[in-house]
Amino acid sequence: MRRLGCLGLIVALLLFGAGVWVAQGWKGAGPLRRDATVTVAEGSSLAGAATALERAGVIASARRFRLQARLFGSATPIRAGEYAISARASASQVLALLQSGKVVQRLVVIPEGLPAVMVRDVLLRADALSGDVAAPAEGSVLPDGYAFERGEPRAAVLARMQRAMRDYLAAAWKRRRPTSAVTTPQQALVLASIVEKETGKPAERRMVAAVYSNRLRLGMPLQADPTVIYPITKGRPLGRRIRQSELHAKNGYNTYASTGLPVGPIANPGRLSIDAVLDPAPSRALYFVADGSGGHVFADTLEQHNANVKRWFAIRRTRGEM
């Protein structure tokens, strides 16, 4: 009997010790010394996730973590993805994070006026994305910052960018004012891409849109330099002055050689440029030229414009640019 009592005591102590081993650290500080990211692969079980956590130093023991999760955690399944884990996070906190699906959100930024070929470049440089992607249709992407998860296909992110443009253009079109010279959403996209490339100042966009709208109504050539460059480089920087032969080239885009709008957009315009062509400034201006400060000066008549051009040339000469 005494032996049985001793054996029972030993078993009880072993069970108690096992319980302490399992419970230890469930809500206490974990072993991770610095913030880290851990990726739970698609289709991973709790065991697979625990192994990844142990390798990253987030938990001391994958086996104990599995036991803790089954005894103390909820039955909510874990979700795949990349997780940002804080230093000293407890096992309880780690499991809750994996069950929440609050994965690391990365960001890819498309600046206003970026051409389609360079949108593809941006996506290809995002190493955390997967798969290849072709350059999108010009003007189909809305410039903005787009969150994504590690491993997400580039094509899926591009599809979100294009959906954002369709949605914004549709909403903006409903706000079109009678003073707008465009008659279709596609025309709005084309003209907005020219406005986007002609000025980097948000406050000028409606005035630039007014100049081109006035020219369209009068049947005057738009004479926008970016439309000359686009068929040569597909929107990439030209890196030199425009040649006279290029100013006379008829290719569907060159607005020096033809009147009206180009056959398509020359970049991906932002929201402000789209809004500008749908609600241009109330102005009779037909011309504009750089003013030396990063902006432009506008003119209603050719005589006024020529005087402005002379002033601009004088500024360039003082800078040693001519």
Side-chain angles (χ1 to χ4, degrees):
M1 293 294 292
R2 190 175 296 173
R3 287 181 178 179
L4 289 175
C6 289
L7 182 61
L9 179 60
I10 291 170
V11 170
L13 289 172
L14 287 173
L15 289 174
F16 177 76
V20 170
W21 179 79
V22 172
Q24 188 178 27
W26 175 240
K27 291 194 175 181
L32 188 64
R33 294 184 178 181
R34 296 182 182 86
D35 294 353
T37 59
V38 175
T39 299
V40 176
E42 194 69 40
S44 290
S45 62
L46 180 63
T51 299
L53 292 167
E54 182 180 342
R55 285 174 182 166
V58 175
I59 57 175
S61 165
R63 182 184 175 192
R64 183 165 65 186
F65 181 78
R66 294 198 306 272
L67 286 172
Q68 289 170 329
R70 288 169 184 154
L71 290 172
F72 309 123
S74 72
T76 304
I78 62 170
R79 296 172 61 180
E82 182 184 21
Y83 292 90
I85 300 177
S86 301
R88 303 301 183 186
S90 68
S92 173
Q93 291 170 328
V94 172
L95 179 63
L97 179 62
L98 268 56
Q99 291 173 329
S100 73
K102 294 178 181 177
V103 296
V104 173
Q105 291 290 309
R106 298 174 180 272
L107 195 69
V108 61
V109 178
I110 304 300
E112 295 175 337
L114 202 69
V117 291
M118 295 179 74
V119 170
R120 180 175 185 262
D121 292 346
V122 171
L123 289 170
L124 292 179
R125 286 197 299 268
D127 294 337
L129 289 172
S130 65
D132 198 1
V133 68
E138 196 66 81
S140 66
V141 166
L142 184 68
D144 206 339
Y146 293 87
F148 66 90
E149 299 176 14
R150 175 177 287 277
E152 188 173 359
R154 290 180 172 86
V157 178
L158 177 58
R160 289 207 300 278
M161 296 173 175
Q162 293 177 310
R163 183 167 58 251
M165 175 59 91
R166 289 194 300 271
D167 291 348
Y168 189 80
L169 185 58
W173 184 254
K174 294 177 182 178
R175 302 191 297 269
R176 181 173 67 104
R177 302 300 296 271
T179 51
S180 176
V182 296
T183 58
T184 68
Q186 179 64 14
Q187 287 183 1
L189 202 59
V190 173
L191 186 54
S193 71
I194 298 175
V195 171
E196 191 71 67
K197 298 300 288 186
E198 285 284 23
T199 179
K201 284 194 167 184
E204 284 190 346
R205 289 192 174 104
R206 291 185 68 221
M207 273 299 297
V208 173
V211 169
Y212 287 131
S213 297
N214 293 337
R215 285 186 165 233
L216 282 173
R217 290 192 187 91
L218 294 173
M220 292 176 62
L222 299 185
Q223 295 185 328
D225 288 357
T227 66
V228 180
I229 297 170
Y230 182 79
I232 303 170
T233 66
K234 294 301 179 185
R236 296 187 188 277
L238 183 60
R240 58 170 173 78
R241 295 174 68 90
I242 297 172
R243 297 170 182 154
Q244 282 296 317
S245 60
E246 292 163 347
L247 287 172
H248 294 92
K250 289 196 173 185
N251 48 42
Y253 286 94
N254 183 2
T255 56
Y256 279 84
S258 304
T259 58
L261 291 169
V263 294
I266 60 170
N268 291 284
R271 294 175 177 85
L272 291 179
S273 291
I274 293 172
D275 292 346
V277 302
L278 295 175
D279 182 20
S283 172
R284 293 185 297 177
L286 293 170
Y287 308 92
F288 63 96
V289 69
D291 63 5
S293 68
H296 297 86
V297 59
F298 298 84
D300 295 355
T301 67
L302 183 57
E303 182 181 10
Q304 294 169 347
H305 177 62
N306 288 336
N308 292 335
V309 170
K310 286 182 180 179
R311 280 191 287 271
W312 169 231
F313 285 172
I315 291 171
R316 293 187 63 190
R317 279 192 291 270
T318 62
R319 293 175 176 175
E321 298 173 355
M322 291 183 68

